[in-house]
Every structure is written in structure tokens, then in C-alpha cells.
Amino acid sequence: MPAPALKGVIAYPVTPFSPETGEADLPALTRLVGDLVEAGSHAVAPLGSTGESAYLRETEWDAVCETALHAVAGRVPTVVGVSHWSTETTVRRARVAARSGASAVMVLAQTYWKLTEDELARHFTAVAAATDLPVMLYNNPGTSGVDLRPETVAALARKIPNLTMVKESTGDVARFRALLDLSDGALSVYNGNNPVALDAFRSGAAGWCTAAPCLVPDWCLALHAAERSGEHAHADALLEAMLPFLRFIVEHGLPRAVKAGLELQDRHAGPPRPPLLPLPPAPSARLRELLDGLARHPLTGGRAAGRPAPAV
């Protein structure tokens, strides 16, 4: 099964919550997803770890999935994160995503007990068999505790026809080429580690999976455009300018940092859900400095960094 036309900047939205009730704020989610599409993101990926999917009740998860896909309205491809501790719930989520119109689903090895290779293979096979959608395998040992080596991923892809994509987030650039070589180019490879965005593209990655477009879409898209057009020195300069911001949002936790940044931009997404706490005042002040610095940076040509036009 061919992968959907996923390439370029793949934007990961947060899930907004009401500050008063703590419930999912679906109108705010609609606005945020609309902003991402209208800013020019090449694809949207709701319900990743940035979207706090692990903290959602299943009825909430369904509502967030349906709302995000409805907001995209088929304008760009969508990749829905369906991961859960149990195979049963992951399968259920994959089917909901398919019914709601997702282009593909993304599966992380989300575990408590360390899974054997046979258990991982059974889990991924069951999820892939639940729908006809292409599947993106997500390798992020920093959060999952499971490192899916390129050899393991390529072997799984040979056994699972609709496992056509892999998001590799270790930051080990050599893995992008290894995944392509071991799969004879059958796998599309995506980068989930912000600092190596350019190295990943130069090693064959088809796309950059990132939450940064929630706050600075112009910068992310400019970097991709410069790299794609062969303006490598300009792309390098853009990434160098962005790196303090990109490192900050990961180091402070994407839901905390992105929601704090949206608040600073008067685009309210509420607090993260407990046990997560909002970003404290001192880091929030630093985030303001970083965003203001990007807004004033000469590479922006005087435009406000990443602030989309107000929704109408």
C-alpha cells in the first residue's frame, strides 16, 4: 500500500483544555488546527504526545480526533496518533481515526512492562490490520522506553503491508539512511527530533514532525522551503536562529511550553492536564524572549514570527 502524500512540515497541535472546567476545548482546537492549515503546514498530526493523548478519556479522545479532522477538512493529509498501553484500545482508536477520515495512523510502542520483540510485532500487526490506512511506526525511546532499531522496523515492514512510514526521533541521523537502505526505499522516513531537521532532510527524510508550527509556522516553513530549493546556507542560518527556541520547547515539555507560547500570543489553549502543570513564570519569561527574538530577527524580514492571521 502506498503511503499518503506526507512530506514537508507535519504540524502537531496541542489539545486545548478549558481553564474553568478542565474539559477539552473543541472550539479552541478547531481554531488552532485551522491556523496550522492556513499557515501552510503540509500535514497535521493530532493526538500525539504533544496533544496529551495519554491523559484523555476515550470519549474525549474520539471528540478530539473528529474535531481536528473536521477542522482540516481534507485540505492537507492527517496522521492521527492512536497509541495506548493496550492493543485493544489502540485498535479501537485506529478504527475511529479511519471512520473520521484520517489519512494515516501513527503508533508508538507505549508500554509499562518491557515488551519482547514478539509482543511488539503482535501489537503492531493487530493495529495495522484494524484498518486499511497506512501506518506510521513511531520510534521514541526517550518516552516509550523501547528502541525500535532500523533492522527491527524494516523486518516489521516486510511482514505488515500497510506499515509504510516510520517517525524516527532518536536524533541519530544515520538511522534515516539505514531505514531507507534496509527497506530498499519502501519505507518513507520522517524526523521527530527538531535539532537535526536539516540533517534528516539531507539524509532522505520525507518530512519533519514538529509542534513548533503551533508558535512559529513561518520559520518552520521557510526552513523547509530553503532546503528544498537548494538554499542550504539560508536553511542553515534559519535553523541556527531557531535552535534555542526548538530546544526550549522540548526541554520544558511540549504541552507546557506550546500552551504557554500560545498564551503569550493571545491564542488561548488553556493549561495542560494534571499531572502536568503550566510552565512556571521564569521559563515563561524566557519563552517570551525567544519568541520576541525570532519576531525581530532579520531573517523574518520584519514579520511577526509565526503569528497567523486572526481567524475570521
Side-chain angles (χ1 to χ4, degrees):
M1 172 182 293
L6 280 174
K7 57 185 178 180
V9 177
I10 302 167
Y12 282 64
V14 296
T15 297
F17 297 114
S18 166
E20 291 78 24
T21 67
E23 298 300 304
D25 186 341
L26 300 181
L29 176 64
T30 296
R31 290 191 294 272
L32 175 58
V33 171
D35 286 346
L36 291 171
V37 175
E38 290 156 20
S41 301
H42 302 113
V44 174
L47 291 163
S49 53
T50 300
E52 298 179 73
S53 58
Y55 304 135
L56 296 176
R57 300 184 294 273
E58 288 304 291
T59 53
E60 289 180 311
W61 190 97
D62 292 358
V64 169
C65 176
E66 293 162 4
T67 298
L69 296 181
H70 185 264
V72 173
R75 290 175 288 173
V76 295
T78 48
V79 187
V80 176
V82 298
S83 305
H84 190 269
W85 306 105
S86 75
T87 299
E88 178 183 17
T89 301
T90 309
V91 163
R92 193 201 71 80
R93 290 179 171 187
R95 289 173 174 156
V96 171
R99 287 197 304 269
S100 301
S103 305
V105 296
M106 183 180 73
V107 189
L108 173 73
Q110 188 169 310
T111 65
Y112 178 81
W113 294 108
K114 186 174 177 62
L115 300 182
T116 68
E117 288 197 6
D118 287 344
E119 288 166 339
L120 287 166
R122 183 174 67 172
H123 177 69
F124 294 134
T125 299
V127 176
T131 79
D132 292 329
L133 292 180
V135 173
M136 175 186 283
L137 201 59
Y138 179 18
N139 185 44
N140 191 347
T143 56
S144 71
V146 177
D147 188 6
L148 299 169
R149 306 287 301 178
E151 297 81 3
T152 301
V153 174
L156 286 168
R158 286 192 289 270
K159 297 174 184 176
I160 304 173
N162 55 330
L163 200 171
T164 58
M165 299 174 284
V166 56
K167 175 184 172 185
E168 171 55 53
S169 294
T170 61
D172 181 353
V173 176
R175 292 193 180 202
F176 298 106
R177 180 53 56 189
L179 285 160
L180 292 169
D181 290 344
L182 289 167
S183 68
D184 295 322
L187 280 170
S188 295
V189 184
Y190 301 85
N191 170 47
N193 188 293
N194 287 329
V196 302
L198 289 177
D199 288 335
F201 279 128
R202 293 166 188 174
S203 298
W208 176 21
C209 299
T210 175
C214 292
L215 299 176
V216 290
D218 289 350
W219 279 84
C220 299
L221 294 163
L223 182 146
H224 175 257
E227 180 63 21
R228 187 179 180 190
S229 64
E231 299 175 67
H232 302 307
H234 184 49
D236 288 337
L238 287 165
L239 182 59
E240 182 179 0
M242 291 178 69
L243 274 176
F245 163 77
L246 293 174
R247 290 183 172 128
F248 178 96
I249 61 174
V250 172
E251 288 169 2
H252 289 273
L254 289 168
R256 298 185 196 93
V258 171
K259 287 185 171 181
L262 289 169
E263 192 72 22
L264 291 171
Q265 294 179 345
D266 295 322
R267 300 162 60 214
H268 308 292
R273 176 164 279 181
L276 299 180
L277 289 169
L279 197 65
S284 293
R286 174 56 180 156
L287 179 57
R288 181 186 291 277
E289 292 174 359
L290 291 169
L291 290 171
D292 288 347
L294 290 175
R296 295 191 303 268
H297 200 285
L299 289 174
T300 67
R303 296 188 310 274
R307 291 178 186 256
V312 295

